[in-house]
Amino acid sequence: MTKKLGTIAVRGGLNTDTQYGSVVPPITPSTSYGFTEFAKPRQFDYARKSNPSRRLVEETVAELEGGVDAILTNCGMSAIHLLCVSLLTPKDTIVAPHDCYGGSYRLFNSLSQRGQFNVIFVDQSDPKALADALMHKPKLVLIESPSNPLLRVVNIQLIAKQAHDVGALVAVDNTFMTPILQRPIELGADIVIHSATKYLNGHSDLLAGILVFKDQQLATDINWWANNIGTLTSSFDSYLLLRGLRTLSARVNIQQDNAQHVVQFLLNHPKINCVYHPSLPTNQGHDIARKQQKGFGAMLSFELKGDAAKLPVFLKHLKIFTLAQSLGGVESLICHPATMTHSGMSAEARKVAGVSDSLLRISVGLEDKDDLIADLDHALQHL
Ligand SMILES: *Cc1c(COP(=O)(O)O)cnc(C)c1O
């Protein structure tokens, strides 16, 4: 019987305790595991390599993404760094989106400046620019769709095929969508990346990252590096993450529904310049999103009319939305990418990526949608 994603998420790791039959799996903090006899380790031997709590999360997320295996790391950036370290040598090239997550942009840029590999940032929705980048025969092509913060959507299936044709591996950062709304392995990806800090955990109380693999050999090779470097997640955080995953499907569906209402409200408001959300026909890649995604997600961004000097006034009057980094939690957050998430990019690079100084990004939470809209409405009245 193939289970639905909501069921897989709720039931991850349940009833696996053989000693007491506890329904919820225990937290296993032990760093060491006894050998059964000389030269006979058990499933786990030392916790840098793996531990029972972490393994349950890996199995659950691998199943959710339709992969064969997964590696849980201590944050999203360490998952992406692990990929770089294990796959790329100084003669290799990575092709990444010009508007990728600010932290990924900074990582690729700084490591390439040290000569650890070459990076080409490209607008992947531009067929000519992408083709030119692929002529460099990259080892790895990173895709992020929808992008951050403009929610541009690219055709994962098409880019994956073109990347495979030049011998590249394809990794998709699926943080914004979660497997509930998009399953990149079905679209041709070899690796799925998540900042599990965001929707997978959903409660903004731990950092974690995960890599999910289509192929076991690649997973085994990269796991060797994970143990070599030491990228693991603690048992306690793994336990919390598994707990958060149980409500993933319910959370994502309600948050996405709330987001749709917020989008409609902003669209019709005279003080709003433009709204970015994959549900809008004006959004780059809207037609692709309709086919590629099972929903349009709960992230959106918008620009206020007039000059950026008005931003602090608007933000000051919000009572529910918190001005904070991050996304994907049950609480609604608002962020100013130019000074927050994307401050690691130069003003020039931000301009190329379309991140203006008057852009605001919202992660819509689980609060009542009427309260969220009333909060925005009230703050907009002060402009
Ligand atoms: C947050 C985020 C990351 C980095 O994850 P951390 O857990 O903060 O290290 C990577 N990619 C995307 C799309 C993100 O939103």
Side-chain angles (χ1 to χ4, degrees):
M1 187 179 93
T2 50
K3 285 176 273 158
K4 303 272 193 213
L5 298 184
T7 308
I8 296 167
V10 168
R11 301 206 60 92
L14 292 186
N15 305 317
T16 49
D17 170 33
T18 50
Q19 191 173 5
Y20 298 112
S22 63
V23 174
V24 173
I27 305 172
T28 316
S30 185
T31 49
S32 299
Y33 297 83
F35 281 48
T36 52
E37 57 183 279
F38 175 72
K40 289 244 163 64
R42 296 178 212 251
Q43 181 182 356
F44 302 101
D45 53 19
Y46 185 56
R48 175 157 30 76
K49 212 193 262 175
S50 190
N51 71 51
S53 306
R54 172 180 146 188
R55 193 61 199 144
L56 292 178
V57 177
E58 291 169 340
E59 287 168 358
T60 305
V61 178
E63 195 177 352
L64 286 170
E65 284 288 3
V68 296
D69 204 351
I71 302 171
L72 187 64
T73 67
N74 56 26
C75 72
M77 287 320 302
S78 68
I80 296 169
H81 187 213
L82 174 61
L83 263 191
C84 294
V85 172
S86 38
L87 294 177
L88 304 171
T89 66
K91 63 177 172 26
D92 292 320
T93 297
I94 174 173
V95 169
H98 70 314
D99 54 356
C100 66
Y101 174 70
S104 306
Y105 187 92
R106 183 178 55 198
L107 180 75
F108 301 147
N109 225 5
S110 54
L111 291 181
S112 76
Q113 276 165 11
R114 286 185 156 194
Q116 301 203 359
F117 52 79
N118 307 309
V119 62
I120 302 175
F121 292 109
V122 66
D123 178 354
Q124 297 180 346
S125 68
D126 176 345
K128 166 90 172 64
L130 179 64
D132 286 350
L134 293 179
M135 299 248 286
H136 290 83
K137 297 235 181 302
K139 184 88 174 275
L140 182 65
V141 173
L142 175 75
I143 302 173
E144 237 183 85
S145 181
S147 71
N148 179 20
L150 293 180
L151 292 311
R152 293 168 171 154
V153 174
V154 294
N155 189 330
I156 295 175
Q157 206 160 15
L158 184 70
I159 299 170
K161 166 142 196 342
Q162 290 169 335
H164 286 151
D165 285 348
V166 297
L169 284 167
V170 175
V172 175
D173 186 330
N174 205 27
T175 301
F176 273 38
M177 285 277 95
T178 83
I180 304 300
L181 302 180
Q182 175 167 280
R183 300 223 301 165
I185 289 176
E186 282 173 358
L187 300 167
D190 303 290
I191 304 155
V192 179
I193 305 166
H194 280 278
S195 167
T197 312
K198 318 290 169 56
Y199 286 102
L200 295 190
N201 180 51
H203 293 75
S204 309
D205 52 6
L206 64 85
L207 289 165
I210 196 159
L211 300 174
V212 182
F213 300 90
K214 183 185 182 178
D215 170 67
Q216 187 60 56
Q217 189 56 50
L218 186 61
T220 306
D221 292 349
I222 295 183
N223 211 10
W224 183 89
W225 278 100
N227 178 48
N228 190 21
I229 308 169
T231 58
L232 96 160
T233 321
S234 75
S235 298
F236 189 66
D237 283 353
S238 302
Y239 169 81
L240 279 180
L241 177 51
L242 193 61
R243 189 181 199 263
L245 276 171
R246 302 200 190 288
T247 53
L248 178 68
S249 176
R251 280 187 282 110
V252 167
N253 282 309
I254 297 175
Q255 287 177 234
Q256 148 168 280
D257 186 56
N258 281 354
Q260 208 61 58
H261 285 87
V262 172
V263 165
Q264 285 311 316
F265 167 77
L266 292 172
L267 266 186
N268 296 322
H269 201 285
K271 288 176 184 163
I272 302 296
N273 198 11
C274 52
V275 184
Y276 300 95
H277 188 248
S279 67
L280 300 172
T282 49
N283 209 74
Q284 189 179 313
H286 165 75
D287 289 336
I288 302 164
R290 294 184 74 96
K291 296 191 206 110
Q292 180 165 280
Q293 303 173 191
K294 286 192 214 89
F296 297 118
M299 296 298 300
L300 60 100
S301 57
F302 63 99
E303 276 172 21
L304 293 178
K305 265 196 191 134
D307 79 282
K310 286 182 179 173
L311 280 180
V313 180
F314 169 70
L315 293 170
K316 201 179 85 178
H317 285 95
L318 288 169
K319 297 213 161 60
I320 295 181
F321 288 87
T322 309
L323 179 64
Q325 315 249 25
S326 198
L327 61 111
V330 294
E331 73 291 352
S332 292
L333 300 179
I334 190 160
C335 119
H336 181 235
T339 54
M340 295 164 70
T341 50
H342 288 59
S343 59
M345 281 167 106
S346 66
E348 180 63 29
R350 276 202 301 273
K351 201 168 162 216
V352 173
V355 180
S356 80
D357 286 348
S358 52
L359 187 78
L360 291 167
R361 187 192 76 184
I362 285 181
S363 169
V364 182
L366 264 188
E367 301 91 342
D368 191 288
K369 60 180 182 298
D370 295 339
D371 291 334
L372 294 177
I373 289 170
D375 195 33
L376 293 168
D377 196 22
H378 172 258
L380 283 166
Q381 281 167 23
H382 287 84
L383 296 185

